[in-house]
Amino acid sequence: MAEHRTPAALSEEELQRLTGLVADEQPLVAAADDSTPGLEEFCAAAADLIGAEAVVRDDASLDKASVDWAHMSPILSAKLPAGRAEVVLRPTSHEQIPGILALAHRHRVPVTARGKGTGNYGQAIPLRGGVVLDLTGCGRILDAGDGWIRAEAGAKMSDIEAHARSLGQELWMFPSTFGTTVGGFLAGGSGGTGSLLHRTNSEGFVRELTVVPCTGNAEPFTKKGQDALPYIHAYGTSGVIATATVSLQRARDWTGLFAAFDDWAAATAALADLVRLEPAPRLVSLDEAGLVETFQPDPALDPAALSVRAIIETEAEQDAREIVTSHGGRVLEVRAAPEGPALISSLSFNHPTYHLMKAKDGYFHLEISGDALLGDPTAVKKVFPDTLLHLEGMRSGTVGMLMARYEDERHVYEGITALAALGVGVHDPHNWFVDRRIELVRQAARTTDPRGLLNPGKLPAAPTP
Ligand SMILES: Cc1cc2nc3c(=O)[nH]c(=O)nc-3n(C[C@H](O)[C@H](O)[C@H](O)COP(=O)(O)OP(=O)(O)OC[C@H]3O[C@@H](n4cnc5c(N)ncnc54)[C@H](O)[C@@H]3O)c2cc1C
């Protein structure tokens, strides 16, 4: 097999430069006054269990473990700081998780699991204090076979992809925050590069999860396929994922195509055709010029034009070029792996929002969907002032991000109603509640978290009959 240079072959520094996410940029939070009863006894027992060095209580560590990327939302920002860890535990193997959760249950101490803390809805903020369970030290890749790989929850998606590539395979999908953890991606994320074909992370990507409940004996259990759904995108409220087995496919020879367009209708028509290209691309994205100008300058990105980017199989290059030119676009560059595909992944999903907000103040964003976004965007762009659009092409339909000038919360929610009337679906990223499969998650949590200690404040209470 030809040697594939993949995004996973990039160094840690290159990854951080591409994804742009640096933990130290996150704002700090103020100290909470009330400590959880039983915390001292809990900490002493935890130190006996996993070692005193793994029980961390200095201010800087507590502050860092108490924030995520909720500050991307002006609505959530107004509610920050929203909670502060009282202790951070750093287990070094998934086998240590059950003992910690049994202790938390015994001492009635809240536990918020944490990967890299890059969720952007405040999912990882410990609203009721207590323990933040930092799982980044549980990063081993445990096993792999034909079509699957099993890793500890704290393993980085980039490491899992690199391991899979060494076996001639690759992940079905990974988020644009490529260096984040598999546990965090499954418990807090949705999709990314690869979702064009494989949809979200709750649609077959997860083969099996080992989950630890917060009960008296905290006995881990495994769930396969559909039975794992109550633990996916549940923010750790129904159990802590200790290990995950996820789907792989045969490794492909990817390359990155960068094109420029002058007009939205032509660019979206090309996007729609690229999505249907065979063999299927791994990712197809589109940005307006107003977003491209906020990206790091690159000859493959024209800041004065709409940018369409696709991760395609090398053998499909000629067909992809023809799609671009047939819609009046210009191919600016075809850049080989790992740089080309890695750059395209790093500019996908919520990353254009990140770049815009870094460059300019006063914006908010919404996650949008629907084919109403193709063709003429005039009505959609009229809903909010200074709207900018980023799209991701999927075989299951178009999704994307809408960024616009922030006025106030009321205007955001009025705008969401107006977008719905235009046939644009909106997922609201301005609240930290679990908002998918809520009843399934609640049902699971009744037995896995009878004392309501897992990431409390995130699972909305069941409506009273
Ligand atoms: C600029 C930007 C771009 C992004 N792009 C994408 C994208 O392309 N696709 C996407 O899906 N998301 C995206 N996100 C959101 C986020 O980065 C990803 O979902 C990421 O994979 C989360 O991983 P993490 O390790 O940072 O998890 P964290 O943020 O630490 O955790 C996320 C949630 O999962 C819970 N959790 C963490 N580990 C576990 C565990 N082992 N068991 C149970 N619960 C756990 C946490 O309590 C929290 O509720 C983006 C965010 C930003 C800021």
Side-chain angles (χ1 to χ4, degrees), residues 21 69 72 112-120 123-124 135 153 175-177 180-181 183-185 187-192 235-236 239-241 348-351 354 455:
L21 302 185
W69 284 71
M72 285 179 84
T112 301
R114 183 177 178 92
K116 289 278 189 170
T118 64
N120 42 18
Q123 300 105 304
L135 292 162
S176 68
T177 44
T180 55
T181 67
F185 175 57
S190 317
Y235 305 176
V240 173
I241 298 169
S348 65
F349 290 86
N350 219 11
H351 262 85
Y354 163 78
N455 206 352

mmCIF file of all heavy atoms in Angstrom, residues 21 69 72 112-120 123-124 135 153 175-177 180-181 183-185 187-192 235-236 239-241 348-351 354 455, ligand 1:
data_model
loop_
_atom_site.group_PDB
_atom_site.id
_atom_site.type_symbol
_atom_site.label_atom_id
_atom_site.label_comp_id
_atom_site.label_asym_id
_atom_site.label_seq_id
_atom_site.Cartn_x
_atom_site.Cartn_y
_atom_site.Cartn_z
ATOM 1 N N LEU A 21 -6.808 26.214 18.997
ATOM 2 C CA LEU A 21 -7.342 26.206 20.354
ATOM 3 C C LEU A 21 -6.221 26.053 21.374
ATOM 4 O O LEU A 21 -5.550 25.046 21.425
ATOM 5 C CB LEU A 21 -8.342 25.060 20.534
ATOM 6 C CG LEU A 21 -9.523 25.083 19.589
ATOM 7 C CD1 LEU A 21 -10.488 23.978 19.954
ATOM 8 C CD2 LEU A 21 -10.225 26.423 19.618
ATOM 9 N N TRP A 69 -15.503 26.259 26.214
ATOM 10 C CA TRP A 69 -15.578 27.330 25.207
ATOM 11 C C TRP A 69 -16.957 27.981 25.169
ATOM 12 O O TRP A 69 -17.370 28.539 24.147
ATOM 13 C CB TRP A 69 -15.126 26.797 23.847
ATOM 14 C CG TRP A 69 -13.640 26.694 23.873
ATOM 15 C CD1 TRP A 69 -12.894 25.783 24.573
ATOM 16 C CD2 TRP A 69 -12.706 27.577 23.264
ATOM 17 N NE1 TRP A 69 -11.564 26.051 24.429
ATOM 18 C CE2 TRP A 69 -11.404 27.132 23.622
ATOM 19 C CE3 TRP A 69 -12.833 28.692 22.434
ATOM 20 C CZ2 TRP A 69 -10.249 27.772 23.194
ATOM 21 C CZ3 TRP A 69 -11.676 29.330 21.995
ATOM 22 C CH2 TRP A 69 -10.408 28.874 22.377
ATOM 23 N N MET A 72 -17.796 31.456 23.691
ATOM 24 C CA MET A 72 -18.110 31.753 22.281
ATOM 25 C C MET A 72 -19.553 32.241 22.145
ATOM 26 O O MET A 72 -19.930 32.779 21.112
ATOM 27 C CB MET A 72 -17.920 30.511 21.413
ATOM 28 C CG MET A 72 -16.466 30.193 21.156
ATOM 29 S SD MET A 72 -16.277 28.716 20.153
ATOM 30 C CE MET A 72 -16.472 29.379 18.505
ATOM 31 N N THR A 112 -17.916 15.938 37.468
ATOM 32 C CA THR A 112 -18.032 16.335 36.058
ATOM 33 C C THR A 112 -16.834 15.776 35.304
ATOM 34 O O THR A 112 -15.685 16.150 35.584
ATOM 35 C CB THR A 112 -18.080 17.871 35.930
ATOM 36 O OG1 THR A 112 -19.208 18.340 36.674
ATOM 37 C CG2 THR A 112 -18.230 18.296 34.472
ATOM 38 N N ALA A 113 -17.108 14.851 34.364
ATOM 39 C CA ALA A 113 -16.023 14.278 33.552
ATOM 40 C C ALA A 113 -15.513 15.344 32.597
ATOM 41 O O ALA A 113 -16.250 16.251 32.186
ATOM 42 C CB ALA A 113 -16.550 13.075 32.769
ATOM 43 N N ARG A 114 -14.248 15.237 32.248
ATOM 44 C CA ARG A 114 -13.655 16.245 31.372
ATOM 45 C C ARG A 114 -12.592 15.612 30.480
ATOM 46 O O ARG A 114 -11.787 14.783 30.933
ATOM 47 C CB ARG A 114 -13.009 17.323 32.233
ATOM 48 C CG ARG A 114 -12.416 18.473 31.451
ATOM 49 C CD ARG A 114 -11.875 19.519 32.413
ATOM 50 N NE ARG A 114 -11.253 20.612 31.706
ATOM 51 C CZ ARG A 114 -11.881 21.719 31.341
ATOM 52 N NH1 ARG A 114 -13.153 21.878 31.616
ATOM 53 N NH2 ARG A 114 -11.238 22.666 30.695
ATOM 54 N N GLY A 115 -12.642 16.013 29.201
ATOM 55 C CA GLY A 115 -11.560 15.647 28.283
ATOM 56 C C GLY A 115 -10.671 16.862 28.142
ATOM 57 O O GLY A 115 -10.053 17.324 29.097
ATOM 58 N N LYS A 116 -10.662 17.455 26.927
ATOM 59 C CA LYS A 116 -9.833 18.650 26.698
ATOM 60 C C LYS A 116 -10.580 19.945 26.998
ATOM 61 O O LYS A 116 -10.038 21.038 26.820
ATOM 62 C CB LYS A 116 -9.363 18.670 25.245
ATOM 63 C CG LYS A 116 -8.324 17.611 24.942
ATOM 64 C CD LYS A 116 -6.946 18.090 25.359
ATOM 65 C CE LYS A 116 -5.892 17.113 24.859
ATOM 66 N NZ LYS A 116 -4.546 17.637 25.029
ATOM 67 N N GLY A 117 -11.867 19.849 27.348
ATOM 68 C CA GLY A 117 -12.606 21.055 27.727
ATOM 69 C C GLY A 117 -12.876 22.000 26.567
ATOM 70 O O GLY A 117 -12.891 23.215 26.746
ATOM 71 N N THR A 118 -13.126 21.458 25.376
ATOM 72 C CA THR A 118 -13.362 22.330 24.214
ATOM 73 C C THR A 118 -14.839 22.394 23.810
ATOM 74 O O THR A 118 -15.158 22.987 22.782
ATOM 75 C CB THR A 118 -12.554 21.868 22.979
ATOM 76 O OG1 THR A 118 -13.015 20.576 22.600
ATOM 77 C CG2 THR A 118 -11.066 21.842 23.276
ATOM 78 N N GLY A 119 -15.716 21.790 24.583
ATOM 79 C CA GLY A 119 -17.149 21.885 24.262
ATOM 80 C C GLY A 119 -17.560 23.356 24.250
ATOM 81 O O GLY A 119 -17.037 24.143 25.029
ATOM 82 N N ASN A 120 -18.489 23.705 23.358
ATOM 83 C CA ASN A 120 -18.802 25.139 23.308
ATOM 84 C C ASN A 120 -20.201 25.484 23.794
ATOM 85 O O ASN A 120 -20.725 26.537 23.474
ATOM 86 C CB ASN A 120 -18.529 25.754 21.929
ATOM 87 C CG ASN A 120 -18.980 24.859 20.820
ATOM 88 O OD1 ASN A 120 -19.783 23.961 21.065
ATOM 89 N ND2 ASN A 120 -18.499 25.073 19.624
ATOM 90 N N GLN A 123 -20.843 22.542 28.440
ATOM 91 C CA GLN A 123 -21.121 21.169 28.908
ATOM 92 C C GLN A 123 -20.163 20.737 30.014
ATOM 93 O O GLN A 123 -20.505 19.927 30.858
ATOM 94 C CB GLN A 123 -20.935 20.134 27.782
ATOM 95 C CG GLN A 123 -21.763 20.265 26.564
ATOM 96 C CD GLN A 123 -20.912 20.820 25.430
ATOM 97 O OE1 GLN A 123 -20.315 21.877 25.578
ATOM 98 N NE2 GLN A 123 -20.911 20.143 24.294
ATOM 99 N N ALA A 124 -18.918 21.220 29.942
ATOM 100 C CA ALA A 124 -17.893 20.717 30.864
ATOM 101 C C ALA A 124 -17.750 21.597 32.104
ATOM 102 O O ALA A 124 -16.895 21.337 32.940
ATOM 103 C CB ALA A 124 -16.555 20.615 30.134
ATOM 104 N N LEU A 135 -9.836 13.261 32.408
ATOM 105 C CA LEU A 135 -9.542 11.922 31.883
ATOM 106 C C LEU A 135 -8.418 11.910 30.860
ATOM 107 O O LEU A 135 -8.155 10.881 30.240
ATOM 108 C CB LEU A 135 -10.831 11.327 31.288
ATOM 109 C CG LEU A 135 -11.874 11.036 32.384
ATOM 110 C CD1 LEU A 135 -13.266 10.864 31.799
ATOM 111 C CD2 LEU A 135 -11.486 9.806 33.190
ATOM 112 N N ALA A 153 -11.050 6.520 27.337
ATOM 113 C CA ALA A 153 -11.824 7.732 27.026
ATOM 114 C C ALA A 153 -10.964 8.964 26.774
ATOM 115 O O ALA A 153 -11.338 9.852 26.017
ATOM 116 C CB ALA A 153 -12.785 8.023 28.180
ATOM 117 N N PRO A 175 -13.711 15.339 14.921
ATOM 118 C CA PRO A 175 -14.134 16.741 14.910
ATOM 119 C C PRO A 175 -13.011 17.663 14.424
ATOM 120 O O PRO A 175 -11.861 17.232 14.345
ATOM 121 C CB PRO A 175 -14.439 17.016 16.386
ATOM 122 C CG PRO A 175 -13.528 16.097 17.118
ATOM 123 C CD PRO A 175 -13.396 14.853 16.274
ATOM 124 N N SER A 176 -13.354 18.922 14.145
ATOM 125 C CA SER A 176 -12.314 19.869 13.702
ATOM 126 C C SER A 176 -11.327 20.124 14.835
ATOM 127 O O SER A 176 -10.199 20.527 14.589
ATOM 128 C CB SER A 176 -12.943 21.173 13.221
ATOM 129 O OG SER A 176 -13.530 21.880 14.295
ATOM 130 N N THR A 177 -11.753 19.893 16.072
ATOM 131 C CA THR A 177 -10.848 19.924 17.221
ATOM 132 C C THR A 177 -10.208 18.531 17.324
ATOM 133 O O THR A 177 -10.568 17.722 18.176
ATOM 134 C CB THR A 177 -11.638 20.253 18.504
ATOM 135 O OG1 THR A 177 -12.843 19.471 18.498
ATOM 136 C CG2 THR A 177 -12.001 21.716 18.589
ATOM 137 N N THR A 180 -8.790 16.525 20.476
ATOM 138 C CA THR A 180 -9.627 16.339 21.662
ATOM 139 C C THR A 180 -9.833 14.840 21.927
ATOM 140 O O THR A 180 -9.440 13.991 21.124
ATOM 141 C CB THR A 180 -10.990 17.043 21.497
ATOM 142 O OG1 THR A 180 -11.614 16.572 20.304
ATOM 143 C CG2 THR A 180 -10.815 18.550 21.418
ATOM 144 N N THR A 181 -10.487 14.544 23.054
ATOM 145 C CA THR A 181 -10.563 13.136 23.479
ATOM 146 C C THR A 181 -11.772 12.412 22.872
ATOM 147 O O THR A 181 -12.809 13.030 22.595
ATOM 148 C CB THR A 181 -10.687 13.043 25.011
ATOM 149 O OG1 THR A 181 -11.959 13.585 25.415
ATOM 150 C CG2 THR A 181 -9.577 13.802 25.713
ATOM 151 N N GLY A 183 -13.666 10.336 24.487
ATOM 152 C CA GLY A 183 -14.770 10.407 25.457
ATOM 153 C C GLY A 183 -15.509 11.729 25.343
ATOM 154 O O GLY A 183 -16.750 11.769 25.356
ATOM 155 N N GLY A 184 -14.772 12.829 25.223
ATOM 156 C CA GLY A 184 -15.385 14.155 25.099
ATOM 157 C C GLY A 184 -16.144 14.305 23.787
ATOM 158 O O GLY A 184 -17.235 14.892 23.752
ATOM 159 N N PHE A 185 -15.572 13.765 22.711
ATOM 160 C CA PHE A 185 -16.253 13.855 21.416
ATOM 161 C C PHE A 185 -17.561 13.069 21.444
ATOM 162 O O PHE A 185 -18.596 13.543 20.960
ATOM 163 C CB PHE A 185 -15.327 13.335 20.302
ATOM 164 C CG PHE A 185 -15.986 13.282 18.938
ATOM 165 C CD1 PHE A 185 -16.548 14.420 18.371
ATOM 166 C CD2 PHE A 185 -16.046 12.092 18.224
ATOM 167 C CE1 PHE A 185 -17.163 14.370 17.114
ATOM 168 C CE2 PHE A 185 -16.655 12.030 16.981
ATOM 169 C CZ PHE A 185 -17.210 13.170 16.423
ATOM 170 N N ALA A 187 -19.303 12.183 24.219
ATOM 171 C CA ALA A 187 -20.233 12.668 25.244
ATOM 172 C C ALA A 187 -20.684 14.103 24.999
ATOM 173 O O ALA A 187 -21.716 14.524 25.511
ATOM 174 C CB ALA A 187 -19.589 12.569 26.621
ATOM 175 N N GLY A 188 -19.901 14.861 24.185
ATOM 176 C CA GLY A 188 -20.255 16.267 24.005
ATOM 177 C C GLY A 188 -20.329 16.735 22.564
ATOM 178 O O GLY A 188 -20.946 17.764 22.274
ATOM 179 N N GLY A 189 -19.724 16.011 21.628
ATOM 180 C CA GLY A 189 -19.679 16.462 20.229
ATOM 181 C C GLY A 189 -20.705 15.763 19.361
ATOM 182 O O GLY A 189 -21.570 15.039 19.860
ATOM 183 N N SER A 190 -20.597 15.998 18.052
ATOM 184 C CA SER A 190 -21.593 15.420 17.133
ATOM 185 C C SER A 190 -20.992 14.785 15.885
ATOM 186 O O SER A 190 -21.453 13.738 15.457
ATOM 187 C CB SER A 190 -22.550 16.484 16.599
ATOM 188 O OG SER A 190 -22.962 17.327 17.566
ATOM 189 N N GLY A 191 -20.049 15.461 15.257
ATOM 190 C CA GLY A 191 -19.567 14.938 13.985
ATOM 191 C C GLY A 191 -18.391 15.747 13.507
ATOM 192 O O GLY A 191 -17.841 16.557 14.252
ATOM 193 N N GLY A 192 -18.008 15.555 12.244
ATOM 194 C CA GLY A 192 -16.863 16.301 11.735
ATOM 195 C C GLY A 192 -16.430 15.770 10.395
ATOM 196 O O GLY A 192 -17.263 15.362 9.573
ATOM 197 N N TYR A 235 -23.347 14.399 27.906
ATOM 198 C CA TYR A 235 -22.502 15.248 28.765
ATOM 199 C C TYR A 235 -22.071 14.529 30.043
ATOM 200 O O TYR A 235 -21.853 15.169 31.082
ATOM 201 C CB TYR A 235 -23.242 16.549 29.144
ATOM 202 C CG TYR A 235 -23.761 17.393 28.000
ATOM 203 C CD1 TYR A 235 -24.507 18.537 28.244
ATOM 204 C CD2 TYR A 235 -23.500 17.075 26.681
ATOM 205 C CE1 TYR A 235 -24.986 19.333 27.202
ATOM 206 C CE2 TYR A 235 -23.976 17.859 25.628
ATOM 207 C CZ TYR A 235 -24.730 18.976 25.897
ATOM 208 O OH TYR A 235 -25.202 19.753 24.867
ATOM 209 N N GLY A 236 -22.023 13.219 30.002
ATOM 210 C CA GLY A 236 -21.582 12.475 31.189
ATOM 211 C C GLY A 236 -22.602 12.465 32.307
ATOM 212 O O GLY A 236 -22.258 12.148 33.443
ATOM 213 N N GLY A 239 -23.424 8.556 33.055
ATOM 214 C CA GLY A 239 -22.315 7.652 33.343
ATOM 215 C C GLY A 239 -21.046 8.205 32.727
ATOM 216 O O GLY A 239 -21.105 9.032 31.811
ATOM 217 N N VAL A 240 -19.928 7.761 33.252
ATOM 218 C CA VAL A 240 -18.642 8.201 32.702
ATOM 219 C C VAL A 240 -18.156 7.128 31.727
ATOM 220 O O VAL A 240 -18.067 5.945 32.093
ATOM 221 C CB VAL A 240 -17.614 8.431 33.830
ATOM 222 C CG1 VAL A 240 -16.232 8.721 33.249
ATOM 223 C CG2 VAL A 240 -18.074 9.587 34.727
ATOM 224 N N ILE A 241 -17.876 7.540 30.509
ATOM 225 C CA ILE A 241 -17.354 6.599 29.509
ATOM 226 C C ILE A 241 -15.908 6.282 29.890
ATOM 227 O O ILE A 241 -15.091 7.203 30.029
ATOM 228 C CB ILE A 241 -17.419 7.221 28.090
ATOM 229 C CG1 ILE A 241 -18.872 7.523 27.705
ATOM 230 C CG2 ILE A 241 -16.758 6.304 27.068
ATOM 231 C CD1 ILE A 241 -19.024 8.373 26.451
ATOM 232 N N SER A 348 -13.202 23.532 9.441
ATOM 233 C CA SER A 348 -14.571 23.033 9.278
ATOM 234 C C SER A 348 -15.407 23.260 10.534
ATOM 235 O O SER A 348 -14.909 23.690 11.573
ATOM 236 C CB SER A 348 -14.528 21.536 8.929
ATOM 237 O OG SER A 348 -13.997 20.790 9.993
ATOM 238 N N PHE A 349 -16.688 23.001 10.427
ATOM 239 C CA PHE A 349 -17.649 23.073 11.547
ATOM 240 C C PHE A 349 -17.502 24.386 12.309
ATOM 241 O O PHE A 349 -17.669 25.434 11.713
ATOM 242 C CB PHE A 349 -17.548 21.795 12.402
ATOM 243 C CG PHE A 349 -18.100 20.628 11.613
ATOM 244 C CD1 PHE A 349 -17.300 19.906 10.728
ATOM 245 C CD2 PHE A 349 -19.432 20.314 11.689
ATOM 246 C CE1 PHE A 349 -17.829 18.888 9.956
ATOM 247 C CE2 PHE A 349 -19.971 19.290 10.913
ATOM 248 C CZ PHE A 349 -19.157 18.585 10.060
ATOM 249 N N ASN A 350 -17.160 24.341 13.599
ATOM 250 C CA ASN A 350 -17.197 25.595 14.363
ATOM 251 C C ASN A 350 -15.911 26.413 14.259
ATOM 252 O O ASN A 350 -15.807 27.469 14.885
ATOM 253 C CB ASN A 350 -17.513 25.302 15.830
ATOM 254 C CG ASN A 350 -18.451 26.344 16.399
ATOM 255 O OD1 ASN A 350 -19.010 27.145 15.666
ATOM 256 N ND2 ASN A 350 -18.587 26.356 17.698
ATOM 257 N N HIS A 351 -14.949 25.955 13.488
ATOM 258 C CA HIS A 351 -13.705 26.707 13.418
ATOM 259 C C HIS A 351 -13.819 28.060 12.718
ATOM 260 O O HIS A 351 -13.187 29.026 13.160
ATOM 261 C CB HIS A 351 -12.575 25.850 12.846
ATOM 262 C CG HIS A 351 -11.726 25.285 13.941
ATOM 263 N ND1 HIS A 351 -12.040 24.127 14.602
ATOM 264 C CD2 HIS A 351 -10.625 25.787 14.554
ATOM 265 C CE1 HIS A 351 -11.150 23.913 15.555
ATOM 266 N NE2 HIS A 351 -10.278 24.911 15.554
ATOM 267 N N TYR A 354 -14.804 30.396 15.331
ATOM 268 C CA TYR A 354 -13.660 30.708 16.195
ATOM 269 C C TYR A 354 -12.775 31.789 15.556
ATOM 270 O O TYR A 354 -12.390 32.765 16.211
ATOM 271 C CB TYR A 354 -12.862 29.412 16.446
ATOM 272 C CG TYR A 354 -11.472 29.643 16.971
ATOM 273 C CD1 TYR A 354 -11.252 29.953 18.307
ATOM 274 C CD2 TYR A 354 -10.366 29.563 16.116
ATOM 275 C CE1 TYR A 354 -9.972 30.180 18.790
ATOM 276 C CE2 TYR A 354 -9.085 29.788 16.587
ATOM 277 C CZ TYR A 354 -8.894 30.096 17.922
ATOM 278 O OH TYR A 354 -7.625 30.324 18.384
ATOM 279 N N ASN A 455 -22.351 15.444 36.606
ATOM 280 C CA ASN A 455 -22.475 16.722 35.894
ATOM 281 C C ASN A 455 -23.821 17.390 36.196
ATOM 282 O O ASN A 455 -24.596 17.728 35.291
ATOM 283 C CB ASN A 455 -22.300 16.496 34.379
ATOM 284 C CG ASN A 455 -21.798 17.758 33.685
ATOM 285 O OD1 ASN A 455 -21.722 18.842 34.283
ATOM 286 N ND2 ASN A 455 -21.476 17.632 32.411
HETATM 287 C C1 LIG B 1 -13.624 26.018 17.560
HETATM 288 C C2 LIG B 1 -14.365 24.742 17.883
HETATM 289 C C3 LIG B 1 -14.619 23.823 16.877
HETATM 290 C C4 LIG B 1 -15.347 22.651 17.156
HETATM 291 N N1 LIG B 1 -15.595 21.745 16.146
HETATM 292 C C5 LIG B 1 -16.316 20.635 16.415
HETATM 293 C C6 LIG B 1 -16.597 19.678 15.388
HETATM 294 O O1 LIG B 1 -16.096 19.751 14.272
HETATM 295 N N2 LIG B 1 -17.422 18.641 15.704
HETATM 296 C C7 LIG B 1 -17.905 18.453 16.971
HETATM 297 O O2 LIG B 1 -18.638 17.493 17.202
HETATM 298 N N3 LIG B 1 -17.615 19.315 17.962
HETATM 299 C C8 LIG B 1 -16.821 20.383 17.725
HETATM 300 N N4 LIG B 1 -16.509 21.249 18.743
HETATM 301 C C9 LIG B 1 -16.904 20.896 20.111
HETATM 302 C C10 LIG B 1 -15.782 20.065 20.842
HETATM 303 O O3 LIG B 1 -14.526 20.585 20.519
HETATM 304 C C11 LIG B 1 -15.790 18.621 20.443
HETATM 305 O O4 LIG B 1 -17.027 18.043 20.584
HETATM 306 C C12 LIG B 1 -14.719 17.811 21.218
HETATM 307 O O5 LIG B 1 -14.556 16.582 20.578
HETATM 308 C C13 LIG B 1 -15.014 17.635 22.688
HETATM 309 O O6 LIG B 1 -13.950 16.900 23.240
HETATM 310 P P1 LIG B 1 -13.231 17.337 24.595
HETATM 311 O O7 LIG B 1 -12.173 16.307 24.878
HETATM 312 O O8 LIG B 1 -12.755 18.741 24.531
HETATM 313 O O9 LIG B 1 -14.448 17.186 25.598
HETATM 314 P P2 LIG B 1 -14.910 18.124 26.805
HETATM 315 O O10 LIG B 1 -15.216 19.492 26.301
HETATM 316 O O11 LIG B 1 -13.927 18.027 27.902
HETATM 317 O O12 LIG B 1 -16.237 17.383 27.235
HETATM 318 C C14 LIG B 1 -17.409 17.480 26.475
HETATM 319 C C15 LIG B 1 -18.581 16.938 27.303
HETATM 320 O O13 LIG B 1 -18.417 15.555 27.496
HETATM 321 C C16 LIG B 1 -18.313 15.231 28.891
HETATM 322 N N5 LIG B 1 -17.277 14.204 28.983
HETATM 323 C C17 LIG B 1 -15.965 14.312 28.674
HETATM 324 N N6 LIG B 1 -15.368 13.115 28.791
HETATM 325 C C18 LIG B 1 -16.315 12.238 29.178
HETATM 326 C C19 LIG B 1 -16.324 10.856 29.478
HETATM 327 N N7 LIG B 1 -15.225 10.098 29.377
HETATM 328 N N8 LIG B 1 -17.494 10.283 29.866
HETATM 329 C C20 LIG B 1 -18.630 11.003 29.970
HETATM 330 N N9 LIG B 1 -18.676 12.324 29.711
HETATM 331 C C21 LIG B 1 -17.534 12.925 29.313
HETATM 332 C C22 LIG B 1 -17.969 16.517 29.591
HETATM 333 O O14 LIG B 1 -18.483 16.555 30.914
HETATM 334 C C23 LIG B 1 -18.693 17.519 28.711
HETATM 335 O O15 LIG B 1 -20.043 17.565 29.069
HETATM 336 C C24 LIG B 1 -15.796 22.413 18.479
HETATM 337 C C25 LIG B 1 -15.518 23.331 19.493
HETATM 338 C C26 LIG B 1 -14.801 24.487 19.211
HETATM 339 C C27 LIG B 1 -14.499 25.441 20.338
#
